[in-house]
Amino acid sequence: LEILVTILNMNDNNPVFKQTNLTEVVPEDTKVNATIVAREDLSASDADLDTIFYELTTIVAGTDGYFAIKGVNNPEIYLQKTLDYEKFNSTTLVLYARDRPVGSTDTTNTATTTINIFIEEADTKPPWFLPCTFINTDKSICISSPYTGRVNISEMSTEPLILEPGPIYAIDPDYTLNEKIVYSIVGGDTDKVFSVDADTGNLTMNKLATSPDSYLLQVMATQVNNIQKYSIASVEIKVINKSNHAPYFESRIYNGTVSVGVAPRSFVSQAGHLSSPLMITAADDDFPNV
């Protein structure tokens, strides 16, 4: 009697990953859809020769949606959204491998591997002139106000000019890189009256300002390591006549009279001269004919 025995394959083995813990360093400027971890580094094997089904989860709050797998049977991890080092610089992913589809009522064996992702800051932002105001909620763009200053006509200052709201100053907003910045005047100074210190940003005079017209300078802050990373700020320098005297009131005390019940915006009269409005006057010896 010949007996044929068929042995049925029982689902009694778990999927196995090559590694149960991986670490990847991802540059901040990595392009969307770029591969982060290759398929061959993440594929699990199964001694039962079952088809493996994958699922990727993110376990760090606020970092979900950035990484995904190519498909339920393809565990290759790719970048799904643009990274921003200022938002987060690391996250942790967990990849599940199952020998049955998610939701299957059959006995399912599962394996996991952990992927630690560290974001490496890239040189993505141009310099910011300070002080500046953020114009978006994620604080990736900061706009500075124009600088203003003044010089006396036909008088040359030997000290750095005092500007508002402060001295010319720019930073690299990629804080951990903090690339060196240099300054230059790129417009508005056709007579070469002014110079800017390349390292400090201090604005000084080369010669006298002989015209009463204001100067509207364009000062550029450029990263030394990358001239394509730059910003330009406006600096308005007003040319004024020098003031040697402070203004003063022509009388130390002014006396006026007003009647009870008069309408708002009515004139106040001079005390003792009800028909004459009270006038408060000041003078300045720099302008004797005014």
Side-chain angles (χ1 to χ4, degrees), residues 2-286:
E2 186 174 291
I3 301 174
L4 180 64
V5 178
T6 301
I7 299 175
L8 301 178
N9 187 17
M10 182 179 180
N11 185 20
D12 57 351
N13 291 285
N14 290 327
V16 177
F17 283 106
K18 295 178 183 177
Q19 304 176 67
T20 57
N21 197 294
L22 293 85
T23 297
E24 294 290 334
V25 177
V26 182
E28 180 187 9
D29 56 354
T30 298
K31 301 296 183 183
V32 170
N33 294 322
T35 296
I36 303 302
V37 187
R39 178 175 184 169
E40 53 267 25
D41 295 329
L42 292 171
S43 295
S45 60
D46 189 338
D48 297 316
L49 303 180
D50 291 320
T51 300
I52 304 298
F53 299 86
Y54 298 94
E55 181 185 7
L56 185 69
T57 62
T58 304
I59 64 174
V60 177
T63 65
D64 54 315
Y66 286 87
F67 302 94
I69 56 175
K70 287 295 184 71
V72 67
N73 300 122
N74 182 355
E76 178 180 312
I77 297 177
Y78 71 97
L79 183 63
Q80 194 168 233
K81 292 197 306 185
T82 301
L83 296 170
D84 186 345
Y85 186 87
E86 301 301 323
K87 289 183 177 179
F88 69 95
N89 54 36
S90 66
T91 188
T92 301
L93 313 174
V94 176
L95 181 65
Y96 292 86
R98 300 182 177 92
D99 55 13
R100 295 291 184 269
V102 175
S104 173
T105 58
D106 296 336
T107 300
T108 303
N109 298 306
T110 303
T112 62
T113 185
T114 301
I115 303 100
N116 301 296
I117 302 289
F118 293 95
I119 312 302
E120 182 180 62
E121 186 172 19
D123 192 1
T124 60
K125 299 182 181 72
W128 288 347
F129 281 97
L130 299 183
C132 64
T133 302
F134 292 109
I135 63 171
N136 54 352
T137 55
D138 63 1
K139 296 185 177 181
S140 61
I141 301 175
C142 201
I143 303 299
S144 64
S145 299
Y147 297 95
T148 59
R150 60 184 185 179
V151 297
N152 296 322
I153 193 168
S154 299
E155 182 174 309
M156 182 171 167
S157 173
T158 58
E159 298 294 326
L161 301 185
I162 298 175
L163 304 176
E164 294 292 340
I168 296 172
Y169 180 61
I171 63 168
D172 178 6
D174 297 308
Y175 301 111
T176 61
L177 301 178
N178 195 27
E179 298 293 350
K180 179 177 173 58
I181 291 172
V182 294
Y183 305 90
S184 60
I185 297 175
V186 295
D189 189 24
T190 55
D191 298 331
K192 305 299 181 185
V193 175
F194 302 97
S195 290
V196 65
D197 188 286
D199 294 320
T200 66
N202 286 335
L203 194 66
T204 54
M205 299 184 71
N206 296 321
K207 58 184 180 180
L208 302 177
T210 57
S211 170
D213 297 332
S214 296
Y215 291 85
L216 187 59
L217 309 178
Q218 303 297 313
V219 176
M220 182 166 68
T222 308
Q223 289 184 194
V224 172
N225 71 321
N226 186 351
I227 61 173
Q228 294 183 343
K229 291 289 189 301
Y230 69 90
S231 292
I232 295 178
S234 296
V235 183
E236 183 182 13
I237 304 298
K238 297 178 180 179
V239 182
I240 61 173
N241 288 310
K242 184 177 181 180
S243 177
N244 293 313
H245 303 88
Y248 58 90
F249 289 105
E250 294 184 326
S251 177
R252 292 184 61 191
I253 300 175
Y254 292 86
N255 296 309
T257 301
V258 63
S259 301
V260 175
V262 297
R265 304 185 68 83
S266 298
F267 285 111
V268 176
S269 302
Q270 291 188 40
H273 300 276
L274 298 181
S275 60
S276 301
L278 177 64
M279 298 181 66
I280 299 175
T281 58
D284 188 334
D285 291 338
D286 288 312

